[in-house]
Amino acid sequence: MYFAALLARTEDGWEASDTELDDVETLSDLTDLAREASVDEDTVLVYIEQEDAWFGVVRVDGEEDPRIYVSDASSAARSSYGEILLTDELLGREPGADDEIAALEELVDLDGTEDGEPEEAGAGDVDAAATEPDPDHDPDAVPAGPLGDLGILADLGLSEKDLLTLRTDALVEIADALGAAEILEAVR
């Protein structure tokens, strides 16, 4: 079960609203949703939580690139909304690298033989174990634990250390730090 909320800063304080993510398929869609809720291009926080598994915060400040924090990246990777937050940049991957590799694999037979041609064993063959990828090293693996911008809420009253200690129902503690707990409770 998911819960998503928008917290938009205004000159009078914070405005909170729960939000549906049915039409959100990319981080760009999520950023656009946040910017639509923004008053005078001020800060908007998008909070997404999968009950008892993970939560994520996306911070959008005007036209700046969104800042992202995910409490447990490996759990989020198994979620459709979590996958939206786990960008190549956040994971430290080359953008679009997976797409390029898949396209190349379709074009080239990686064993060096023509289709239908049997592989020949020769004296120059390398030990198969030496060419196999290390099963403990998966470049596409998503790390367990927190990932992203730990300082995402520091200037709003929630330190990096406090952010790292949040587990379940983190939105209540985030809203408390922002001074928006009562406003949030009205939409929850």
Side-chain angles (χ1 to χ4, degrees), residues 55 67 69 146 148-167:
F55 72 90
R67 296 167 57 191
Y69 172 79
D149 186 345
L150 295 176
I152 192 169
L153 301 171
D155 64 322
L156 300 175
L158 192 69
S159 72
E160 293 178 15
K161 180 182 173 188
D162 291 338
L163 183 62
L164 286 171
T165 62
L166 299 178
R167 293 291 172 246

Side-chain angles (χ1 to χ4, degrees), residues 3 24 68 75 78 83 107 126 131 136 147 161 163:
F3 175 75
V24 174
I68 304 167
S75 292
R78 295 185 294 269
E83 287 179 342
L107 294 174
V126 179
T131 61
D136 296 331
L147 187 65
K161 180 182 173 188
L163 183 62

Side-chain angles (χ1 to χ4, degrees), residues 19-39:
T19 188
E20 291 294 323
L21 299 177
D22 294 341
D23 296 330
V24 174
E25 295 179 9
T26 65
L27 180 60
S28 190
D29 293 341
L30 191 60
T31 303
D32 291 343
L33 182 70
R35 287 190 176 122
E36 289 171 10
S38 176
V39 177

Side-chain angles (χ1 to χ4, degrees), residues 8-79:
R9 186 163 51 184
T10 69
E11 61 185 42
D12 299 324
W14 291 91
E15 291 182 5
S17 61
D18 62 345
T19 188
E20 291 294 323
L21 299 177
D22 294 341
D23 296 330
V24 174
E25 295 179 9
T26 65
L27 180 60
S28 190
D29 293 341
L30 191 60
T31 303
D32 291 343
L33 182 70
R35 287 190 176 122
E36 289 171 10
S38 176
V39 177
D40 297 325
E41 295 190 359
D42 214 336
T43 300
V44 176
L45 301 175
V46 180
Y47 177 88
I48 302 171
E49 176 182 278
Q50 182 179 5
E51 192 173 289
D52 296 330
W54 66 274
F55 72 90
V57 178
V58 178
R59 179 177 177 163
V60 178
D61 294 302
E63 291 300 315
E64 292 180 26
D65 287 341
R67 296 167 57 191
I68 304 167
Y69 172 79
V70 177
S71 67
D72 186 341
S74 61
S75 292
R78 295 185 294 269
S79 153

Side-chain angles (χ1 to χ4, degrees), residues 94-165:
E94 188 70 32
D98 290 341
D99 297 336
E100 291 174 20
I101 291 169
L104 287 173
E105 286 176 347
E106 286 182 26
L107 294 174
V108 177
D109 187 2
L110 295 179
D111 69 0
T113 62
E114 300 269 336
D115 284 340
E117 179 181 311
E119 289 186 47
E120 294 179 22
D125 285 352
V126 179
D127 181 20
T131 61
E132 290 181 20
D134 180 3
D136 296 331
H137 177 69
D138 180 3
D140 294 330
V142 176
L147 187 65
D149 186 345
L150 295 176
I152 192 169
L153 301 171
D155 64 322
L156 300 175
L158 192 69
S159 72
E160 293 178 15
K161 180 182 173 188
D162 291 338
L163 183 62
L164 286 171
T165 62

